[in-house]
Amino acid sequence: MSDESLVTTNEPLPCQNCDSILEEGFEFCPHCGQKTNDALTIGVLFYNTISNYFSFDARFLKSFAPLMFRPGYLAEKFIQGKRLLYLHPAQMYLFVSVIFFFIVSFSTRDLVQEANKINEKVAKSEFVSEQKDSLNQATDSIKIEKIMKPLKDNQQIIGLEDSDLKMADSLIKLETANPKNMNTSWDFDKRKVDSLVASGADNEVIYKEMGMSEDPSFLERRLYTRMLSLAKGQGAGSIVQAFFDSIPISMFFLLPFFALILKVFYYNKGKYVHHLVFSFYFFSFLFTVFSVLFGLNNFFEIESWINWLIAISTYFYFLIALIRFYRQHWFLTWVKSGIITFVFILFVIPTAIGLLAAFSFFTS
């Protein structure tokens, strides 16, 4: 064996990811962080997928217990600069919210089906009520005829003129008129619309019968499109589905608004981004709690008082988190937490729900 075969070379190797030159013995590239010997296996493939898209790594496991049992701790440590030890607040929120809406989707399917059933029943009951109204009108005519017959037979004896009989007939009809005959459930003649639908008329013709203008705007056309689907007994489910599909998007607006409210009440306690960090972790906690709650209710019948107790407990978590993070007296924090909760639940959330409902109605 020659001496040359015993000589080992210490030539630097390039990083497979960024091509930076690595010194011997480096396990990770100091420039991009990739392992120097990152052989592709099934395990590596799926770990990287989960880690990159869901951040399900050691940091999540380290962050989970503090998130659930140490209110305000993660936000406090992140502000202090410990940003690699625990999971990033936005990543935590994204991962937990995906799990939450996945679990809620099982309940959503049931609500969509129930909405479709109710919509169909309402549409059919309206048709049935119209049939009953027609029958009542025929019955009333028979009754009126029975009342008028003696008057007509004895017209000469009583001394009634023809004009008197007509007036009596009109008064009796007015008295016996059934207010239920008026079609008050819809803003259009549903009987005519049903006839047009049954005959296969073009939607434009039906829209005109429903009252759509000659040159409708986009919103007006969407309104009549949705009204027609509801009249057919088919549109409620899609509205409910669109509503729930829009919730994740709305949360990206509600969360920054929640942080803005915190900024107003704690204007001298750091920048807006500090309040945003707190909001990310707090909403992650809320989604985690309600994910567990929804998941358990899908498999077990939990008493309603237990559900309410758990929901109310999130307020006390919020109170403790505020005390830890903002370092103010507990009484002042208690007052502020009550006002913040009141404003957010009674004003912000209902407004968001109203906008979501309108958005779902016009876009579904």
Side-chain angles (χ1 to χ4, degrees):
M1 181 179 296
S2 64
D3 294 338
E4 294 181 356
S5 63
L6 298 176
V7 177
T8 57
T9 59
N10 294 325
E11 294 182 2
L13 299 175
C15 171
Q16 296 175 337
N17 180 57
C18 66
D19 295 326
S20 299
I21 303 301
L22 305 176
E23 295 183 13
E24 184 182 10
F26 278 16
E27 293 186 8
F28 295 90
C29 175
H31 299 280
C32 67
Q34 178 169 293
K35 293 182 66 175
T36 56
N37 184 20
D38 195 13
L40 183 60
T41 63
I42 295 294
V44 169
L45 174 63
F46 283 99
Y47 174 80
N48 287 340
T49 301
I50 296 174
S51 177
N52 291 337
Y53 289 96
F54 297 102
S55 300
F56 191 81
D57 52 18
R59 289 183 300 161
F60 175 80
L61 299 177
K62 288 180 181 178
S63 306
F64 184 76
L67 176 71
M68 299 304 296
F69 305 109
R70 302 184 69 178
Y73 176 82
L74 291 179
E76 181 183 33
K77 294 302 178 183
F78 190 85
I79 296 301
Q80 291 176 358
K82 298 184 182 297
R83 298 171 187 174
L84 293 179
L85 183 61
Y86 301 106
L87 193 61
H88 190 280
Q91 290 177 314
M92 172 72 79
Y93 171 78
L94 179 62
F95 173 74
V96 175
S97 62
V98 168
I99 299 299
F100 172 75
F101 289 110
F102 173 74
I103 295 175
V104 170
S105 65
F106 291 99
S107 301
T108 302
R109 287 201 298 266
D110 296 335
L111 290 174
V112 169
Q113 293 175 359
E114 188 64 26
N116 282 329
K117 290 179 182 178
I118 294 175
N119 190 181
E120 187 176 0
K121 287 181 179 179
V122 169
K124 288 184 176 179
S125 64
E126 190 72 22
F127 176 72
V128 172
S129 65
E130 289 173 357
Q131 288 183 322
K132 290 182 178 178
D133 291 342
S134 300
L135 183 60
N136 289 336
Q137 290 177 356
T139 304
D140 291 338
S141 299
I142 295 174
K143 291 180 179 179
I144 293 171
E145 184 62 28
K146 287 183 178 181
I147 295 173
M148 291 296 297
K149 189 174 187 303
L151 295 178
K152 292 178 180 178
D153 293 342
N154 298 281
Q155 179 180 357
Q156 299 298 329
I157 300 174
I158 300 174
L160 295 175
E161 301 289 339
D162 291 339
S163 59
D164 296 329
L165 288 176
K166 291 182 180 179
M167 183 178 293
D169 182 70
S170 299
L171 290 173
I172 294 172
K173 287 181 178 179
L174 181 63
E175 183 67 24
T176 58
N178 187 353
K180 293 182 180 179
N181 289 342
M182 298 176 62
N183 189 359
T184 57
S185 299
W186 307 87
D187 291 332
F188 51 85
D189 191 335
K190 188 170 183 297
R191 192 179 305 174
K192 290 184 179 179
V193 170
D194 288 339
S195 299
L196 290 173
V197 171
S199 63
D202 186 74
N203 284 345
E204 292 297 322
V205 176
I206 301 176
Y207 295 153
K208 293 296 189 297
E209 177 61 37
M210 295 169 65
M212 189 177 74
S213 60
E214 292 294 333
D215 186 20
S217 63
F218 172 79
L219 289 180
E220 183 182 1
R221 180 173 292 277
R222 292 298 303 174
L223 171 64
Y224 280 96
T225 301
R226 180 54 51 210
M227 288 174 62
L228 178 58
S229 64
L230 290 173
K232 292 179 179 179
Q234 303 170 349
S238 60
I239 294 176
V240 173
Q241 185 64 59
F243 179 84
F244 280 99
D245 290 343
S246 304
I247 292 179
I249 300 174
S250 69
M251 293 307 301
F252 281 99
F253 296 96
L254 283 179
L255 192 148
F257 197 86
F258 183 80
L260 180 62
I261 297 176
L262 292 177
K263 176 61 179 176
V264 171
F265 281 87
Y266 295 97
Y267 60 91
N268 60 345
K269 292 291 184 178
K271 301 177 181 178
Y272 171 76
V273 68
H274 294 180
H275 309 289
L276 195 59
V277 168
F278 178 91
S279 301
F280 270 124
Y281 280 123
F282 177 62
F283 273 72
S284 297
F285 165 77
L286 291 179
F287 281 145
T288 302
V289 170
F290 288 109
S291 294
V292 174
L293 206 57
F294 274 103
L296 291 176
N297 278 280
N298 282 332
F299 294 99
F300 308 100
E301 186 174 351
I302 300 178
E303 297 290 338
S304 59
W305 67 270
I306 297 178
N307 292 327
W308 280 107
L309 183 63
I310 295 174
I312 294 173
S313 69
T314 59
Y315 165 75
F316 295 98
Y317 178 99
F318 176 55
L319 174 61
I320 298 172
L322 290 177
I323 295 174
R324 177 190 290 273
F325 186 74
Y326 292 106
R327 302 292 180 180
Q328 284 191 344
H329 191 271
W330 70 267
F331 182 78
L332 179 60
T333 305
W334 175 67
V335 173
K336 287 184 176 181
S337 67
I339 298 174
I340 293 170
T341 304
F342 177 83
V343 170
F344 195 73
I345 292 179
L346 294 185
F347 293 99
V348 178
I349 292 181
T351 301
I353 291 176
L355 292 175
L356 276 180
F359 176 80
S360 304
F361 185 87
F362 285 106
T363 60
S364 59

